[in-house]
């Protein structure tokens, strides 16, 4: 699954100009101990003692007698309710009272007593009544004798349940009692006789439900045609724990099974699922039943089906796989780019992994209402419309980049995640980290013109912002309940996962890494894995570094034919213990700060845990195996040194003027250069910045400000480094400079320090003035040049740089006079719209175009422009409409709320909106989701006063425990505390520095 929170930032700062730029993005983190305590409390409240019927052979009459007796008592106390449908007793054994002791299972994870083999599903949605009925036949195998089958169900009204099969009784169908346990979203089917080990049974369940009003489960979506007609469709989104909202199931990744799906629909609609349709049966004149082929063995969260009126375009890959793009009829003409990209990428993955794609087709569907960026359902990947549809006349360069990357991500999942799946959600990174990493590997080959490799380090910076907090978590983290599981879909699982894989790729070399992951995929196809399975697959493979031949020895380790050089410092056993090395990166939170001090030829190295906050000293007990890389003033050949201890010494062949570690930012660590180390690097940047790569320059900018946050350097030193940016022209150093400087004045905004705030704004504009003035107002140039143009012009206009504002106003007036028919260059639209929306008349005109289908590909740009208006009534109205979901899609509300929060005129409104609508937002987007986390962090992460901190603490402490223990809330509080501390320490120094440094 691809979170939607920061898609556009793949290659650029957040779209939204000055008012929309936040501190570098944060999604989730959390305090493990308090969260574990919370889980224990929930269990105690649920009263989950071992059950009355657990694993005991009990006949049906005994069950009924005891149940009736107990229910008669409990009903007097009003603590248990019972519904009866078609002879099946469905009893709700909730956490209240003693009734919960009846439920025959006391854990949130399902027992392994019974495992599914095959699901036969019949789903019949009614798009008029917005309900659906379902029939599920589940073939199961019994692994341990039991009288109950525990599986998941949520919001399903079960009308009938039977069990059929067993030794000597294969055709008998026995009706069973159904008990519910809503706190764990579980049901128990109670058999009249023990289910025998080794026997196969078929569970038959009939049920009904409403189509979900949220974005998960089997939910309703809608769109408006060009003629204004509203059309309804039904779509699934099951990851991570919502398949149970569409059919009763063993809804955990390790319970893999095959699926046969049948969908009933009206003749005017079409149905899609993971597999192709094998036949369609006319049930009546107004009802068709589509039968889909049997799926491969897969987890429940990958099942998908859609009922809609979509149209499609298709092509075949070189390997004979049919690729189809599905979209609403009015937008199918925007599917060509995605279709060509998907064909190239699927062919690439089949060749790269040397494992055939196992299905006959791959559908990509653009969904009008979709919370995430995309979802990797096997054979039927689903996307936001903006993540799949591209208009060559109207879409921007950033849209093309994002669409390509997101398709690459979901298609990588067809192997990493679908073919081989993590055992449990605590190792989600095995899915998401790999898919994120493979985006860059694949697109750099299939679409070299996009130069995606230039943007990878930005992902690592994003991850480090989260990972530097005490509320961060290890990549591999124990989780249990659905909210905790959702919280795992964060920058640590995605971006940090990808960054440590990139570091390992550089450490082992590309060929060795590839061989290892191919071995991993082959060994565990259609199975589930843990961390150690990956490391084991990467272990007995000899690395080749280009200078030393390697060979596998009988003891399972590699040795080199030539003596290991001191600069390599990689002993033979250290080289191959991949698990030992990588466990230091996956089983502990955070990342190392490597401090270096050069004395003659000796370079003294020291590692410690980098952590922001008011800690008097860094945490102890953390140790990483760090594959260091470096270049020097005397050699641009990359040298390597494996640091496995707290301190070490590296010996250079000669003395050097400067040394730069973490070449290309390929390692997940930051550097501090003691003594005159930073002075030498700052001088290098001022005198000859192109002596090191643009990514190395970007990493220096990032690192120097991170060191300010922990008191290792002064803010004056960091600002001294930024002076060189007056001569910078490459995208990543420019973006990183903006990402470090802009949040500084955003913090000042919240403290009403207008004089210094305005001086800092002026400094930033002057630093980039030469580059801004060089920008042409057209769509010419490479993708990176176009992305740079878009961001620079938006920033300049938002900062009221007059030449930019004048040009944008001229464009907007001509565009408005043409009633929106004048074709604006795509790369300048964001700046033009932002300037035009500053007047009431311009805002209204822009919103009138926002509502038109012909402007669908420009909605994101227009939303940003509308959100940075100074008109508070407009801002409030925009958020209110997003919550209603008619004019403004609710899927876009989280982004709009954050954009408004970055607006000096809107941050109070955004905070008030979040508080007043918390329950509605939590119901729509789910607690723990990236949408909720994005709003919590995005609204509060520029607060910098103790009063604001008190308000945030007061509100979130007033919520129920399930909400108040969310990781994002712990994170938000920690960020505000850090902002306060940072401003208290650095403000006066910034003021003084600005007085002494003019450009």
């Amino acid at each position: 699954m691809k979170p939607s929170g920061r898609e556009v930032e793949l290659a650029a700062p957040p779209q939204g100009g000055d008012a929309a730029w936040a501190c570098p993005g944060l999604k989730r983190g959390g305090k493990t101990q308090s969260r574990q305590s919370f889980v224990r409390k929930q269990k105690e409240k649920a009263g989950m003692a071992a059950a009355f019927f657990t694993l005991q052979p009990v006949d049906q009459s005994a069950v009924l007698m005891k149940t009736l007796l107990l229910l008669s008592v409990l009903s007097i106390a009003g603590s248990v309710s019972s519904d009866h449908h078609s002879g099946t007793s469905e009893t709700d054994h909730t956490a209240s009272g003693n009734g919960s002791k009846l439920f025959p299972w006391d854990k949130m994870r399902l027992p392994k007593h019974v495992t599914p083999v095959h699901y036969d599903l019949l789903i019949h949605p009614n798009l008029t009544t917005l309900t659906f009925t379902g029939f599920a036949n589940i073939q199961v195998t019994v692994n341990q004798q039991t009288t109950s089958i525990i599986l998941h169900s949520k919001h399903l009204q079960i009308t009938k349940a039977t069990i059929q099969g067993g030794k000597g009784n294969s055709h008998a169908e026995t009706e069973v009692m159904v008990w519910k346990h809503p706190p764990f979203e579980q049901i128990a089917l109670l058999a009249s006789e023990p289910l025998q080990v080794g026997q196969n049974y078929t569970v038959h369940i009939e049920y009904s439900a409403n189509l979900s009003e949220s974005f998960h489960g089997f939910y309703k979506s809608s769109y408006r045609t060009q003629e204004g007609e509203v059309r309804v469709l039904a779509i699934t989104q099951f990851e991570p724990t919502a398949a149970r909202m569409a059919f009763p199931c063993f809804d955990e990744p390790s319970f893999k099974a095959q699926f046969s799906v049948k969908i009933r629909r009206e003749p005017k609609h079409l149905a899609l699922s993971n597999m192709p349709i094998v036949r369609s049966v006319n049930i009546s004149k107004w009802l068709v039943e589509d039968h889909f082929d049997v799926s491969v063995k897969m987890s429940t969260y990958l099942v998908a089906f859609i009922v809609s009126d979509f149209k499609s375009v298709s092509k075949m890959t070189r390997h004979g796989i049919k690729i189809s793009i599905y979209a609403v009829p009015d937008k199918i003409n925007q599917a060509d780019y995605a279709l060509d990209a998907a064909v190239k990428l699927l062919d690439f993955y089949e060749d790269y992994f040397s494992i055939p794609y196992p299905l006959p087709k791959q559908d990509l569907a653009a969904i009008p209402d979709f919370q995430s960026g995309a979802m990797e359902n096997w054979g039927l990947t689903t996307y936001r419309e903006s993540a799949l549809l591209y208009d060559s006349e109207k879409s921007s360069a950033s849209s093309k980049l994002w669409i390509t990357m997101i398709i690459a991500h979901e298609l990588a999942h067809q192997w990493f995640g679908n073919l081989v799946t993590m055992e449990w959600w605590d190792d989600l990174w095995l899915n998401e980290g790999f898919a994120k990493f493979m985006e860059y590997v694949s697109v750099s080959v299939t679409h070299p013109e996009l130069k995606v490799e230039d943007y990878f380090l930005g992902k690592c910076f994003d991850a480090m912002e989260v990972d530097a907090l005490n509320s961060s978590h290890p990549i591999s983290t124990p989780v249990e309940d659905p909210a905790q599981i959702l919280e795992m879909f964060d920058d640590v699982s995605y971006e940090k996962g990808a960054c440590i894989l990139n570091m390992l790729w550089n450490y082992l070399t590309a060929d060795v890494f590839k061989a290892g992951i191919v071995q991993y995929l082959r060994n565990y196809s259609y199975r589930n894995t843990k961390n150690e399975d990956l490391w084991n697959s990467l272990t007995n493979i000899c690395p080749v570094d280009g200078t030393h031949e390697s060979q596998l020895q009988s003891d399972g380790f590699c040795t080199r034919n030539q003596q290991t050089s001191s600069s390599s410092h990689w002993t033979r056993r250290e080289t191959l213990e991949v698990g030992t090395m990588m466990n230091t990166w996956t089983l502990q939170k955070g990342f190392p700060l490597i401090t270096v001090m050069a004395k003659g030829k000796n370079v003294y190295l020291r590692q410690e845990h980098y952590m922001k906050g008011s800690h008097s000293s860094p945490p102890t007990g953390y140790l990483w195996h760090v594959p260091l890389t470096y270049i020097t003033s005397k050699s641009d050949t990359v040298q390597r040194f494996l640091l496995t201890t707290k301190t070490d010494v590296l010996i250079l062949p000669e003395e050097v003027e400067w040394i730069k570690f973490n070449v290309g930012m390929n390692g997940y660590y930051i550097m501090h250069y003691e003594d005159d180390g930073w002075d030498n690097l700052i001088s290098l940047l001022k005198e000859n910045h192109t002596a090191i790569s643009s990514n190395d320059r970007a990493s220096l900018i990032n690192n120097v400000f991170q060191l300010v946050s922990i008191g290792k350097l002064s803010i004056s030193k960091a600002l001294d480094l930024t002076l060189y940016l007056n001569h910078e022209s490459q995208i990543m150093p420019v973006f990183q400079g903006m990402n470090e400087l802009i949040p500084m004045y955003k913090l000042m905004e919240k403290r009403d320090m207008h004089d210094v705030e305005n001086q800092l704004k002026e400094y930033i504009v002057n630093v980039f003035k030469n580059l801004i003035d060089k920008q042409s107002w057209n769509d010419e140039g490479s993708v990176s040049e176009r992305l740079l143009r878009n961001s620079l012009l938006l920033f300049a206009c938002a900062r009221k740089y007059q030449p930019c504002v004048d040009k944008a106003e001229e464009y907007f007036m001509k565009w408005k006079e043409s009633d929106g028919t004048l074709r604006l260059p795509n790369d300048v639209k964001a700046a033009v719209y932002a300037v035009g929306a500053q007047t009431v008349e311009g805002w209204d005109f822009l919103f009138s175009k926002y509502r038109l289908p012909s402007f669908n590909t420009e909605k994101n740009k227009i939303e940003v422009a509308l959100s940075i208006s100074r008109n508070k009534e407009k801002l409030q109205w925009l958020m209110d409409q997003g919550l209603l979901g008619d004019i403004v899609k609710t899927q876009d509300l989280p982004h709009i709320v954050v954009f408004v929060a970055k607006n000096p005129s809107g941050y109070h409104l955004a905070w008030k909106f979040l508080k007043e609508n918390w329950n509605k937002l939590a119901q729509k987007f789910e607690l723990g989701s990236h949408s909720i986390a994005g709003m919590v962090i995005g609204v509060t992460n520029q607060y910098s006063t103790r009063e604001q901190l008190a308000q945030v603490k007061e509100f979130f402490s007033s919520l129920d425990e399930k909400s108040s223990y969310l990781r994002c809330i712990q994170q938000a509080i920690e960020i505000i505390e850090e902002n306060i501390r940072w401003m208290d320490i650095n403000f006066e120094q910034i003021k003084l520095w600005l007085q002494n440094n003019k450009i």
Side-chain angles (χ1 to χ4, degrees):
M1 183 163 64
K2 183 85 168 184
S4 62
R6 291 171 59 86
E7 306 90 343
V8 180
E9 294 179 59
L10 217 73
Q15 292 191 5
D18 168 54
W21 282 359
C23 296
L26 295 161
K27 291 180 183 171
R28 294 192 270 291
K31 294 185 178 178
T32 305
Q33 187 173 2
S34 62
R35 293 169 55 76
Q36 290 173 343
S37 172
F38 168 60
V39 172
R40 284 197 301 272
K41 287 180 185 178
Q42 291 296 93
K43 285 185 175 181
E44 290 165 5
K45 287 186 176 183
M48 292 165 291
F52 181 68
F53 294 108
T54 303
L55 308 180
Q56 296 180 27
V58 183
D59 63 36
Q60 182 74 358
S61 60
V63 172
L64 290 171
M65 288 293 291
K66 292 181 180 180
T67 303
L68 290 171
L69 177 61
L70 283 162
L71 289 181
S72 66
V73 175
L74 292 169
S75 62
I76 296 172
S79 60
V80 173
S81 62
S82 177
D83 299 319
H84 298 273
H85 307 281
S86 304
T88 294
S89 176
E90 185 186 12
T91 307
D92 185 354
H93 295 269
T94 65
S96 58
N98 294 326
S100 60
K101 292 183 179 179
L102 292 169
F103 195 81
W105 188 244
D106 65 351
K107 296 178 176 62
M108 195 163 284
R109 297 277 296 273
L110 296 180
K112 303 289 186 179
H113 306 149
V114 178
T115 52
V117 177
H118 182 268
Y119 292 79
D120 197 335
L121 304 175
L122 172 59
I123 309 293
H124 182 187
N126 186 319
L127 301 188
T128 302
T129 62
L130 304 181
T131 60
F132 68 97
T133 56
F135 302 82
N137 289 314
I138 311 172
Q139 296 177 23
V140 299
T141 296
V142 177
N143 306 311
Q144 180 178 328
Q145 183 173 299
T146 180
T147 56
S148 61
I149 298 177
I150 313 298
L151 63 164
H152 288 110
S153 175
K154 183 179 181 182
H155 302 326
L156 302 179
Q157 298 300 316
I158 295 174
T159 54
K160 184 178 181 181
T162 63
I163 296 178
Q164 180 182 14
K167 188 175 181 180
N169 195 26
S170 59
H171 298 294
E173 190 173 8
T174 305
E175 199 155 321
V176 296
M177 185 171 290
V178 181
W179 285 358
K180 299 189 297 182
H181 189 47
F184 285 2
E185 301 173 359
Q186 292 173 357
I187 59 172
L189 309 182
L190 302 179
S192 59
E193 297 179 359
L195 306 179
Q196 299 301 316
V197 175
Q199 298 297 308
N200 295 326
Y201 296 83
T202 298
V203 175
H204 174 76
I205 303 175
E206 299 178 11
Y207 60 96
S208 62
N210 294 321
L211 289 173
S212 173
E213 289 291 333
S214 64
F215 295 103
H216 45 278
F218 191 24
Y219 71 91
K220 179 200 78 168
S221 177
S222 64
Y223 72 95
R224 195 179 298 273
T225 67
Q226 290 183 347
E227 293 73 33
E229 177 191 357
V230 175
R231 294 185 181 175
V232 176
L233 59 141
I235 170 73
T236 58
Q237 169 59 43
F238 292 159
E239 190 180 29
T241 61
R244 63 194 70 173
M245 296 174 67
F247 56 95
C249 57
F250 299 80
D251 200 12
E252 295 179 6
S254 62
F255 287 106
K256 290 192 172 186
Q258 291 182 291
F259 295 81
S260 297
V261 177
K262 302 181 186 71
I263 304 288
R264 287 183 177 174
R265 59 173 175 85
E266 294 181 62
K268 67 180 181 180
H269 292 137
L270 66 85
L272 298 171
S273 189
N274 306 83
M275 301 298 290
I277 292 177
V278 291
R279 69 179 183 276
S280 296
V281 179
N282 292 320
I283 303 297
S284 67
K285 186 166 64 175
W286 55 87
L287 194 62
V288 177
E289 184 175 284
D290 292 324
H291 295 220
F292 295 87
D293 208 349
V294 182
S295 77
V296 295
K297 190 177 179 183
M298 64 184 185
S299 305
T300 48
Y301 77 87
L302 295 171
V303 176
F305 34 86
I306 302 172
V307 177
S308 70
D309 66 342
F310 286 172
K311 301 298 182 185
S312 66
V313 292
S314 304
K315 276 187 178 181
M316 300 296 289
T317 69
R318 283 189 289 104
H319 298 279
I321 307 300
K322 184 180 180 182
I323 307 288
S324 301
I325 310 293
Y326 285 85
V328 302
D330 292 340
K331 301 178 186 177
I332 195 61
N333 62 332
Q334 298 171 20
D336 289 344
Y337 178 77
L339 181 61
D340 289 340
V343 168
K344 287 182 181 179
L345 286 161
L346 199 68
D347 274 333
F348 170 85
Y349 286 133
E350 289 209 62
D351 294 338
Y352 185 88
F353 296 133
S354 301
I355 299 173
Y357 176 74
L359 308 186
K361 60 95 173 177
Q362 171 63 235
D363 298 333
L364 299 84
I367 311 302
D369 299 280
F370 203 73
Q371 181 176 349
S372 302
M375 175 62 204
E376 67 265 22
N377 315 300
W378 214 342
L380 176 54
T381 52
T382 45
Y383 303 76
R384 279 192 175 213
E385 289 183 330
S386 59
L388 196 64
L389 303 180
Y390 180 82
D391 186 330
S392 59
E393 293 295 317
K394 295 182 177 181
S395 297
S396 64
S398 61
S399 293
K400 177 181 284 190
L401 180 63
W402 181 38
I403 289 168
T404 312
M405 297 293 277
I406 209 165
I407 293 172
H409 184 99
E410 304 312 323
L411 295 187
H413 270 312
Q414 308 302 297
W415 284 266
F416 283 101
N418 299 9
L419 184 66
V420 180
T421 312
M422 76 268 140
E423 177 79 17
W424 181 243
W425 299 105
D426 50 7
D427 280 327
L428 174 68
W429 84 277
L430 290 174
N431 285 19
E432 299 299 350
F434 258 111
K436 172 63 67 175
F437 174 70
M438 289 306 301
E439 290 178 28
Y440 292 86
V441 174
S442 60
V443 175
S444 65
V445 174
T446 61
H447 298 76
E449 72 281 1
L450 297 180
K451 296 189 179 300
V452 292
E453 58 275 10
D454 290 347
Y455 313 123
F456 186 82
L457 79 166
K459 301 292 98 181
C460 302
F461 295 151
D462 290 344
M464 285 175 161
E465 282 294 321
V466 176
D467 216 15
L469 300 173
N470 191 40
S471 54
S472 185
H473 63 91
I475 283 181
S476 184
T477 298
V479 291
E480 192 169 54
D481 67 47
Q484 289 178 329
I485 292 168
L486 273 172
E487 286 189 310
M488 289 297 287
F489 291 81
D490 68 352
D491 276 351
V492 173
S493 293
Y494 284 74
E495 272 75 17
K496 181 178 180 179
C499 291
I500 67 167
L501 287 172
N502 182 63
M503 182 170 63
L504 183 60
W505 181 81
N506 277 276
Y507 172 68
L508 294 176
T509 73
D511 289 342
V512 173
F513 182 86
K514 175 181 174 181
I517 63 172
V518 168
Q519 179 171 286
Y520 169 76
L521 290 171
R522 286 177 175 167
N523 288 348
Y524 296 101
S525 291
Y526 305 104
R527 295 165 62 191
N528 297 83
T529 59
K530 297 180 179 180
N531 254 355
E532 54 264 33
D533 298 317
L534 175 62
W535 308 143
N536 291 339
S537 298
L538 285 161
T539 292
N540 292 331
I541 297 174
C542 292
V544 179
D545 65 9
T547 60
H548 300 100
E549 295 182 5
S550 305
Q551 48 186 220
L552 191 65
Q553 301 300 297
S554 59
D555 65 357
F557 292 95
C558 279
T559 186
R560 292 192 171 116
N561 290 343
Q562 300 179 23
Q563 184 178 357
T564 302
S565 68
S566 60
S567 64
S568 170
H569 208 66
W570 292 351
T571 65
R572 67 185 189 128
R573 192 163 292 268
E574 285 171 330
T575 301
L576 273 211
E577 288 183 347
V578 174
T580 301
M581 171 183 167
M582 295 308 294
N583 282 340
T584 69
W585 297 95
T586 61
L587 301 184
Q588 58 187 1
K589 69 181 179 183
F591 55 90
L593 165 65
I594 310 298
T595 299
V596 301
M597 181 172 61
K599 295 289 187 183
K601 296 180 183 179
N602 292 352
V603 179
Y604 297 90
L605 304 166
R606 182 177 76 252
Q607 66 163 294
E608 61 189 271
H609 184 180
Y610 178 92
M611 184 183 290
K612 292 182 179 178
S614 56
H615 313 284
S616 57
S617 60
T620 59
Y622 285 80
L623 181 70
W624 285 266
H625 290 193
V626 189
L628 299 174
T629 56
Y630 63 94
I631 54 176
T632 71
S633 58
K634 297 295 179 67
S635 174
D636 59 4
T637 300
V638 178
Q639 303 296 320
R640 306 176 189 280
F641 189 99
L642 183 62
L643 179 65
T644 60
T645 54
K646 284 282 186 184
T647 61
D648 210 332
V649 181
L650 183 157
I651 302 174
L652 300 175
E654 57 184 323
E655 292 188 23
V656 298
E657 295 175 15
W658 55 262
I659 184 168
K660 167 67 174 69
F661 278 86
N662 202 358
V663 181
M665 189 63 194
N666 284 320
Y668 190 72
Y669 55 90
I670 64 172
M671 297 298 307
H672 177 34
Y673 304 91
E674 285 191 332
D675 285 354
D676 57 357
W678 274 109
D679 291 334
N680 293 336
L681 288 168
I682 291 171
S683 295
L684 174 69
L685 291 175
K686 289 180 179 178
E687 295 165 10
N688 183 21
H689 66 277
T690 58
I692 57 176
S693 71
S694 62
N695 278 4
D696 280 319
R697 302 196 296 271
S699 72
L700 287 176
I701 296 167
N702 171 269
N703 287 188
V704 76
F705 280 94
Q706 301 314 306
L707 294 169
V708 172
S709 293
I710 59 170
K712 296 284 187 180
L713 285 179
S714 68
I715 188 64
S716 299
K717 184 74 69 178
L719 290 170
D720 285 346
L721 185 146
T722 66
L723 289 166
Y724 106 90
L725 286 168
N726 192 38
H727 304 290
E728 184 60 81
S729 62
Q730 296 301 302
I731 187 169
M732 291 313 297
V734 170
F735 280 176
Q736 196 56 39
M738 289 182 167
N739 284 339
E740 301 295 349
L741 291 168
I742 290 172
M744 290 166 54
Y745 73 70
K746 301 303 290 183
L747 297 181
M748 295 176 192
E749 281 180 355
K750 307 305 182 292
R751 290 194 174 196
D752 297 325
M753 296 170 164
H754 300 304
D755 289 344
V756 180
E757 171 197 333
N758 289 330
Q759 289 176 39
L760 182 56
K761 290 175 181 177
E762 182 181 2
Y763 169 73
I764 300 171
V765 171
N766 287 337
V767 162
F768 297 111
K769 180 179 179 298
N770 291 339
L771 196 56
I772 292 168
D773 290 342
K774 290 178 182 176
Q775 300 306 307
S776 59
W777 287 65
N778 55 42
D779 291 335
E780 296 175 359
S782 66
V783 171
S784 62
E785 288 170 339
R786 294 181 62 188
L787 291 171
L788 188 61
R789 176 185 303 127
N790 176 83
S791 294
L792 282 172
L793 293 181
L794 179 57
F795 165 75
C797 284
R799 281 284 22 93
K800 296 182 171 55
Y801 178 55
Q802 204 57 47
C804 182
V805 172
D806 292 344
K807 190 78 170 178
E809 284 180 343
E810 179 186 352
Y811 267 106
F812 188 82
M813 290 306 299
K814 290 180 179 178
W815 179 69
K816 184 172 175 292
E817 289 168 1
S818 74
D819 197 26
T821 60
L822 176 70
R823 186 184 180 281
L824 294 173
N826 294 319
D827 298 338
V828 307
K829 285 178 181 175
V832 171
Y833 293 163
V835 170
Q838 294 307 302
T839 67
V840 172
E841 184 182 3
W843 197 97
D844 290 340
F845 180 77
L846 198 57
F847 186 77
S848 72
K849 298 307 172 188
Y850 175 84
R851 301 186 63 177
L852 299 178
S854 57
F855 282 83
N856 276 321
T857 59
E858 300 177 52
K859 280 185 178 292
N860 289 346
K861 286 188 178 67
I862 297 177
E863 284 170 355
V864 170
L866 297 175
S867 300
I868 60 177
S869 166
R870 298 297 194 239
N871 188 313
K872 294 183 179 180
E873 291 183 2
K874 298 288 190 186
L875 298 176
Q876 183 65 52
W877 184 84
L878 189 64
M879 292 188 291
D880 290 341
Q881 291 303 312
L883 191 60
L884 291 173
D886 181 23
I887 301 174
V888 177
K889 287 280 188 182
T890 302
Q891 67 170 14
D892 298 325
L893 177 61
H895 304 298
I896 290 172
V897 170
V898 173
F899 289 145
V900 172
K902 305 313 170 195
N903 184 338
S905 301
Y907 72 92
H908 291 297
L909 298 175
W911 172 236
K912 184 170 180 284
F913 180 88
L914 184 68
K915 292 190 296 182
E916 291 179 350
N917 296 286
W918 177 261
N919 291 332
K920 293 178 183 177
L921 294 169
Q923 184 176 3
K924 188 71 177 179
F925 295 107
E926 287 191 287
L927 288 177
S929 70
H930 57 85
S931 298
I932 292 292
M935 284 187 282
V936 170
I937 299 299
V939 168
T940 63
N941 71 348
Q942 292 175 352
Y943 286 180
S944 62
T945 70
R946 287 166 179 80
E947 292 77 16
Q948 291 161 344
L949 175 63
Q951 290 175 20
V952 171
K953 284 184 173 181
E954 180 183 10
F955 171 69
F956 287 121
S957 65
S958 72
L959 301 176
D960 61 87
E961 280 188 307
K962 196 170 184 181
S963 295
S964 62
Y965 276 92
L966 287 175
R967 186 178 291 148
C968 63
I969 293 172
Q970 304 298 325
Q971 192 180 47
I973 291 170
E974 191 176 351
I975 292 168
I976 301 170
E977 291 172 341
E978 168 64 13
N979 290 344
I980 294 169
R981 189 187 65 83
W982 194 95
M983 284 291 290
D984 288 348
I985 293 171
N986 295 306
F987 176 75
E988 290 299 328
Q989 293 183 57
I990 295 170
K991 180 179 178 180
L992 182 61
W993 189 91
L994 289 171
Q995 290 171 356
N996 295 330
N997 292 271
K998 304 290 184 182
I999 294 183

